[in-house]
Amino acid sequence: MTSEALDLVSRPDRQANRALGEIVREADEPMAVDIDPDRSRETSSTNFSRMRTDWRTGESSEIEGILQESRGIIHRAFPGIYMIMNELWMHVREPVVVDGTGEIVTDIFGWPEWKKLPSGAYAEDYSRLTDREKDDFLLRITTGLLEWHQQAADLWGTSMLAKGRWEEAMGIGFLTPTGRVTVEERTQRGRVHASEDRYHAIFRATVSRSAEALVRSMELIGQRLKDSLTA
């Protein structure tokens, strides 16, 4: 916390400090929508025909842009993983090519796009991998895990720092108002003051979770390659 926030917290306001603690603890709780149970009593039945199942106009492209930014960070942080996987896929899949030229179609990151079955699953045949190729991929994955785990830990660290900024902003927003202001009003002002930091923390948490899942997937692939060699 900054010196400004520490000075504010030192004020003899036990109720405000207790409420601030509750706000800060929100960062450790699952990010779920909290629905007041009393609202369920306002209607005898739920009108599912009015339930919104998609993003509002403009939101979908905005969310996709944010997720694309997250994917970009992951690709830049783990180029070795994507290099290995695309080399492996080149053995077991068929790339999409441009009719007439035979040029391989690539995605926005420069990796090949792969042919899919009518079901949407990729067309692939892992029996094409020889034992020598499996052993080579296994060795590269095993030796790469040390670096990948450290990179994932760094991204986790940045997500924790973003979370700390969020908590700090919430505390400052909560304690700044003066005069006769209720705890509920302070709480709302704290949330508004920290809204930008909150979304940044969510974004960094998303990146960290993606990195963790990617490295865990490589561990599983390495184990499966090992099992196929000893079977």
Side-chain angles (χ1 to χ4, degrees), residues 202-213:
I202 293 173
F203 174 75
R204 290 298 167 183
T206 300
V207 173
S208 176
R209 184 65 63 84
S210 296
E212 179 185 352

Side-chain angles (χ1 to χ4, degrees), residues 168-185:
E168 180 180 342
M170 292 177 74
I172 293 174
F174 182 91
L175 294 169
T176 298
T178 58
R180 297 179 62 84
V181 182
T182 66
V183 173
E184 289 74 17
E185 290 173 324

Side-chain angles (χ1 to χ4, degrees), residues 15 41 93 110 148:
Q15 186 180 30
R41 301 192 184 100
R93 296 179 179 178
W148 301 333

Side-chain angles (χ1 to χ4, degrees), residues 49-151:
S49 64
R50 295 182 181 180
M51 182 178 67
R52 186 163 59 89
T53 60
D54 202 354
W55 297 101
R56 295 186 179 91
T57 303
E59 287 182 336
S60 181
S61 58
E62 183 179 13
I63 295 299
E64 180 57 32
I66 294 172
L67 293 177
Q68 197 64 49
E69 179 67 23
S70 174
R71 297 185 193 109
I73 293 175
I74 294 299
H75 274 75
R76 291 190 294 273
F78 300 95
I81 288 182
Y82 289 97
M83 176 67 74
I84 291 173
M85 290 309 304
N86 277 279
E87 287 183 17
L88 188 153
W89 287 329
M90 189 62 75
H91 285 77
V92 302
R93 296 179 179 178
E94 294 184 23
V96 177
V97 298
V98 178
D99 292 338
T101 66
E103 181 182 0
I104 296 178
V105 178
T106 58
D107 59 21
I108 63 172
F109 301 110
W111 301 114
E113 292 191 358
W114 307 101
K115 292 182 180 180
K116 293 184 178 182
L117 301 172
S119 64
Y122 288 104
E124 51 191 11
D125 181 5
Y126 282 88
S127 65
R128 298 175 185 174
L129 283 174
T130 66
D131 285 350
R132 182 175 180 179
E133 289 166 344
K134 291 178 183 179
D135 189 64
D136 177 67
F137 283 122
L138 176 59
L139 180 61
R140 293 167 64 186
I141 291 173
T142 303
T143 56
L145 282 173
L146 174 62
E147 178 184 356
W148 301 333
H149 275 296
Q150 291 301 313
Q151 291 170 324

